[in-house]
């Protein structure tokens, strides 16, 4: 069996600065009243990523190629390709800006030259790593740093001796109202990342090529459930530490004091550690987002998905450049990150509907097409997110 790490790569991809920042803001402003949204996001991520991985293993192709496989009509193929490019391009540009902004906040705490300038430097670093082809080694180091950050959050939570009964009471009093809807969409958008569906399908197609399909799907499913579940637990703990530090307190959380939630363990060094964690998480995710966009766009246009092809490089360069421009446009840092996550939450239904259609109509899926339980879960996920999106739009008017 192939030594596949795609489930852990997906988890590392969504534990970026957007997740840390969004979970911190959610905990600081709403306590555990939005824990239900996070739990929903984790289960939904497991369901959708399992479909994506199954598609890659069963067909040997990515999600974009799978879309074009569902019909022989040339017009529909062009339509599907255009939608993939638009949805993934827009989503990844927004996500990339959030990744670069989060990493820039971290670096600006050490050397204050402005988050816009740092975003430009970080975009250059991400591009250089992707261009060199050695980004996987660097990514592994950064993922280790993110895991180290997660361990400190765990230690902090227990060292702070939280009121567990109060946390449970809040969790059992869920909120879904106009004031909370943007945050709910952000929590969903930072966890169920649309580009991860394209990335997962492409990675499993490559990693399990030539393997027994049924056994490969079983191995991939077990790995993904564990990795995504652990990523969700990290997010929950970040939310909890922010709740303890800020919820119901006079101090308001902003970009300058987010690290305060780690003070019970790290004391005065909390801000520095938090900044380093944001940098590590941001640089890791700023590599995976453009990589996924390249797989999606090249697959949709029948271009080579070889890492060294000009077309493949051209796509990720465009995504990084767009992310740098948005990150450097002068938006408030936390607002920019939160917007990126909410935008992903609104774009998610488009990609999820695509995935459901492919998993039912794909000509080369054979026995691995969706069964009734998978379809039912997928429809619930898509339907709920669509309703949230309409509710958000209605609240604006």
């Amino acid at each position: 069996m192939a030594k596949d790490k795609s489930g852990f790569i997906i988890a590392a991809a969504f534990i970026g600065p957007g997740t840390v920042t969004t979970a911190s803001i959610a905990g600081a402003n709403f306590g555990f009243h939005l824990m239900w949204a996070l739990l929903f996001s984790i289960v939904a991520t497991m369901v959708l990523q399992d479909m994506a991985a199954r598609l890659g293993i069963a067909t040997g192709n990515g999600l974009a190629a799978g879309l074009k496989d569902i019909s022989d009509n040339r017009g529909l193929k062009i339509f599907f390709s255009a939608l993939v490019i638009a949805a993934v391009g827009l989503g990844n540009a927004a996500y990339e800006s959030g990744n670069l902004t989060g990493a820039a906040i971290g670096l600006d705490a050490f050397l204050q030259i402005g988050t816009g300038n740092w975003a430009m430097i970080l975009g250059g670093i991400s591009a250089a790593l992707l261009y060199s082809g050695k980004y996987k080694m660097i990514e592994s180091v950064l993922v280790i740093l993110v895991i180290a950050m997660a361990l400190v959050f765990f230690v902090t939570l227990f060292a702070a001796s939280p009121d567990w009964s109060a946390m449970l009471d809040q969790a059992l009093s869920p909120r879904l109202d106009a004031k909370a809807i943007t945050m709910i969409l952000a929590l969903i958008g930072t966890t169920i990342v649309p580009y991860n569906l394209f990335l997962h399908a492409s990675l499993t197609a490559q990693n399990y090529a030539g393997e027994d399909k049924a056994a490969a799907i079983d191995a991939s499913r077990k790995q993904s459930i564990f990795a995504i579940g652990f990523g969700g637990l990290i997010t929950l703990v970040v939310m909890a530490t922010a709740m303890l530090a800020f919820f119901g307190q006079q101090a308001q959380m902003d970009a300058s004091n987010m690290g305060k939630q780690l003070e019970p363990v790290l004391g005065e060094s909390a801000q520095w550690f938090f900044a380093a964690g944001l940098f590590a998480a941001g640089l890791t995710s700023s590599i995976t987002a453009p990589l996924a966009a390249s797989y999606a766009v090249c697959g949709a246009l029948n271009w080579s998905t070889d890492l060294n092809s000009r077309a493949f490089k051209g796509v990720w360069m465009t995504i990084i450049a767009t992310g740098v421009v948005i990150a450097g446009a002068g938006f408030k840092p936390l607002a920019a990150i939160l917007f990126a996550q909410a935008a992903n939450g609104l774009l998610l239904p488009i990609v999820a509907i695509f995935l459901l259609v492919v998993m039912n109509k794909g000509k080369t899926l054979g026995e691995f097409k969706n069964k009734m339980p998978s379809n039912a879960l997928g429809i619930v996920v898509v339907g709920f997110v669509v309703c949230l999106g309409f509710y958000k739009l209605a609240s604006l008017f």
Side-chain angles (χ1 to χ4, degrees):
M1 189 63 63
K3 293 182 179 180
D4 176 58
K5 300 291 184 183
S6 57
F8 293 97
I9 292 174
I10 296 304
F14 78 72
I15 300 294
T19 298
V20 175
T21 302
T22 301
S24 294
I25 296 173
N29 294 341
F30 298 95
F32 256 31
H33 292 291
L34 299 187
M35 189 180 80
W36 69 269
L38 178 58
L39 295 180
F40 166 81
S41 300
I42 294 303
V43 173
T45 300
M46 291 176 178
V47 171
L48 294 176
Q49 293 295 159
D50 178 69
M51 291 185 200
R54 186 156 30 100
L55 172 70
I57 294 169
T59 67
N61 292 313
L63 177 53
L67 275 171
K68 294 190 297 182
D69 180 54
I70 65 178
S71 174
D72 294 324
N73 185 285
R74 186 171 181 272
L76 280 177
K77 287 178 180 290
I78 294 173
F79 175 70
F80 287 143
S81 296
L83 282 178
V84 168
I85 294 168
V88 178
L90 287 173
N92 278 35
Y95 209 82
E96 184 71 356
S97 69
N99 293 331
L100 292 173
T101 299
I105 291 173
L107 284 172
D108 206 51
F110 294 98
L111 180 60
Q112 296 181 353
I113 63 173
T115 55
N117 292 325
W118 275 123
M120 187 179 301
I121 293 171
L122 288 163
I125 293 174
S126 300
L129 291 173
L130 281 167
Y131 193 85
S132 71
K134 297 179 181 179
Y135 71 93
K136 288 187 177 179
M137 177 187 69
I138 306 299
E139 183 181 72
S140 297
V141 174
L142 295 175
V143 168
I144 290 172
L145 292 176
V146 174
I147 292 174
M149 178 182 67
L151 290 175
V152 173
F153 274 109
F154 276 103
V155 173
T156 300
L157 177 62
F158 288 97
S161 300
D163 185 340
W164 298 104
S165 62
M167 294 169 68
L168 180 61
D169 287 343
Q170 291 177 24
L172 296 176
S173 303
R175 285 187 58 175
L176 177 57
D177 51 62
K179 291 183 178 179
I181 191 65
T182 297
M183 183 56 61
I184 292 169
L185 281 172
L187 282 171
I188 292 173
T190 195
T191 309
I192 319 173
V193 184
Y195 81 68
N196 273 346
L197 299 173
F198 289 89
L199 184 60
H200 207 177
S202 295
L203 289 176
T204 53
Q206 293 176 359
N207 295 339
Y208 287 107
E211 302 280 352
D212 177 78
K213 293 181 179 180
I217 287 172
D218 183 61
S220 174
R221 178 174 293 143
K222 290 177 180 177
Q223 181 200 107
S224 295
I225 289 174
F226 176 80
I228 294 169
F230 182 68
L233 181 61
I234 293 172
T235 309
L236 184 64
V237 172
V238 173
M239 182 188 292
T241 57
M243 180 199 73
L244 294 174
F246 295 103
F247 185 63
Q249 307 296 320
Q250 290 185 344
Q252 298 294 312
M253 190 181 75
D254 56 31
S256 67
N257 69 351
M258 276 197 296
K260 182 180 178 181
Q261 63 205 79
L262 299 180
E263 284 185 355
V265 169
L266 298 176
E268 294 182 358
S269 63
Q271 285 290 120
W272 300 102
F273 186 91
F274 194 89
L278 276 181
F279 164 68
L283 191 54
T284 302
S285 297
S286 68
I287 293 171
T288 54
L291 181 65
S294 291
Y295 277 123
V297 173
C298 289
L301 295 175
N302 287 329
W303 293 346
S304 172
T305 54
D306 185 276
L307 294 176
N308 294 314
S309 72
R310 290 185 178 181
F312 196 88
K313 290 179 178 179
V315 175
W316 61 250
M317 285 180 181
T318 301
I319 294 297
I320 290 176
T322 304
V324 169
V325 170
I326 296 174
F331 298 111
K332 292 182 178 180
L334 296 192
I337 293 175
L338 190 61
F339 170 78
Q341 311 316 313
N344 270 283
L346 292 171
L347 285 168
L348 172 64
I350 300 172
V351 180
I353 289 171
F354 284 174
L355 181 61
L356 275 175
V357 172
V358 171
M359 293 306 295
N360 283 277
K361 300 292 185 181
K363 298 176 183 177
T364 57
L365 275 167
E367 63 181 296
F368 301 108
K369 286 185 179 180
N370 266 8
K371 302 297 190 295
M372 183 60 71
S374 293
N375 280 329
L377 288 171
I379 290 170
V380 168
V381 170
V382 173
F384 183 73
V385 176
V386 168
C387 289
L388 282 180
F390 278 118
Y391 184 57
K392 171 63 177 174
L393 292 174
S395 68
L396 297 176
F397 300 99

